[in-house]
Amino acid sequence: MPHLPSCPPPAGRHVLAELTGCPPAVLNDAVGLEASFRECAEKGGATLVSSHFHNFSPQGVSGVVVIAESHLTVHTWPEHGYAAVDVFTCGRPEVAEAVMKLLIEALQAGTVHRTSFARGPHSTPARLSGEPVC
Amino acid sequence: MPHLPSCPPPAGRHVLAELTGCPPAVLNDAVGLEASFRECAEKGGATLVSSHFHNFSPQGVSGVVVIAESHLTVHTWPEHGYAAVDVFTCGRPEVAEAVMKLLIEALQAGTVHRTSFARGPHSTPARLSGEPVC
């Protein structure tokens, strides 16, 4: 088995989201974002492995959280109120969707466009849905 | 400006790839993968910030490379010869495509399905291409 006994490779779920209308102060706080991402990962049912968040100059944050199921990432442009957020899990697809829902709340997004893809061997990443969610 | 002066948020390029037929020994070597990913990022024109690779038990690797332009990620299942690889950059889109091309070579993939998306505020991630490349 790969990463976890419950984690066969064909069951990857990758959620890409564009979040706008987020408070700039939230998007420029690397320490706060790291705490939020770790909390959302755990509350959504993922297993934390490590996290790494960086502040850029003059503003903006890039962060990654490695989870046993794959990863979360965020890149922020506080001056645009914009964050690009990804959640990729193997195993139960509802974990990716749950973690993303929690992250959208944590980043206080005004508008979200979210797209979900199936990931796995022998397939082009398959788009499952792509509707605006708020 | 956000992360870099040349890096406005509307110009994100996200390349998702499913690599199969990779040598299991390559996919299970976290140290070697980290070195390869760092080398490919730099050769492709990205700017390294940090990298974090983890071996899982009994096998498999998850790795992330934070670059000034956004990130690279990889998750491997050596027993399936399969790796899920992502490259996300802002700024020049050719950097993402160049880095992905180098990674595909480094992982010695037999078959690759690659899909590229435009990322940015006020848009659903937009599929640009999605053809098998080898």
Side-chain angles (χ1 to χ4, degrees), chain A residues 86-98:
Chain A
D86 283 29
V87 179
F88 183 0
T89 67
C90 53
R92 294 178 298 136
E94 61 268 28
V95 172
E97 304 291 349

Side-chain angles (χ1 to χ4, degrees), chain A residues 1-3 7 9 14 16-18 20 49-50 52 54 56-62 64 66-68 70-71 73 75-77 79-80 82 84-86 88 90 113 115 117-125 127 130, chain B residues 1-3 7 9 14 16-18 20 49-50 52 54 56-62 64 66-68 70-71 73 75-77 79-80 82 84-86 88 90 113 115 117-125 127 130:
Chain A
M1 297 300 293
H3 297 175
C7 193
H14 195 160
L16 285 62
E18 317 291 9
T20 49
V49 175
S50 67
H52 315 277
H54 301 270
F56 288 88
S57 179
Q59 57 188 322
V61 172
S62 280
V64 295
V66 180
I67 54 178
S70 286
H71 72 256
T73 62
H75 307 286
T76 76
W77 286 261
E79 72 279 30
H80 295 279
Y82 166 61
V85 179
D86 283 29
F88 183 0
C90 53
H113 288 85
T115 310
F117 298 89
R119 300 289 303 263
H122 305 298
S123 68
T124 298
R127 182 169 175 159
Chain B
M1 295 300 292
H3 298 172
C7 193
H14 195 160
L16 284 62
E18 317 291 9
T20 50
V49 175
S50 66
H52 316 277
H54 301 271
F56 289 88
S57 178
Q59 56 188 323
V61 172
S62 279
V64 294
V66 180
I67 54 178
S70 286
H71 71 255
T73 61
H75 307 286
T76 77
W77 287 262
E79 73 279 30
H80 295 279
Y82 166 61
V85 179
D86 282 30
F88 183 179
C90 51
H113 286 87
T115 310
F117 298 89
R119 300 289 304 262
H122 305 299
S123 68
T124 298
R127 183 169 172 157

Side-chain angles (χ1 to χ4, degrees), chain B residues 5 15 19 40 51 57 76 83 91 109 114 124-125:
Chain B
V15 188
L19 279 59
C40 292
S51 58
S57 178
T76 77
R114 180 171 62 183
T124 298

Side-chain angles (χ1 to χ4, degrees), chain B residues 13-41:
Chain B
R13 174 68 58 100
H14 195 160
V15 188
L16 284 62
E18 317 291 9
L19 279 59
T20 50
C22 305
V26 171
L27 297 188
N28 206 34
D29 176 8
V31 173
L33 285 171
E34 183 165 12
S36 289
F37 270 66
R38 292 177 65 93
E39 183 180 353
C40 292

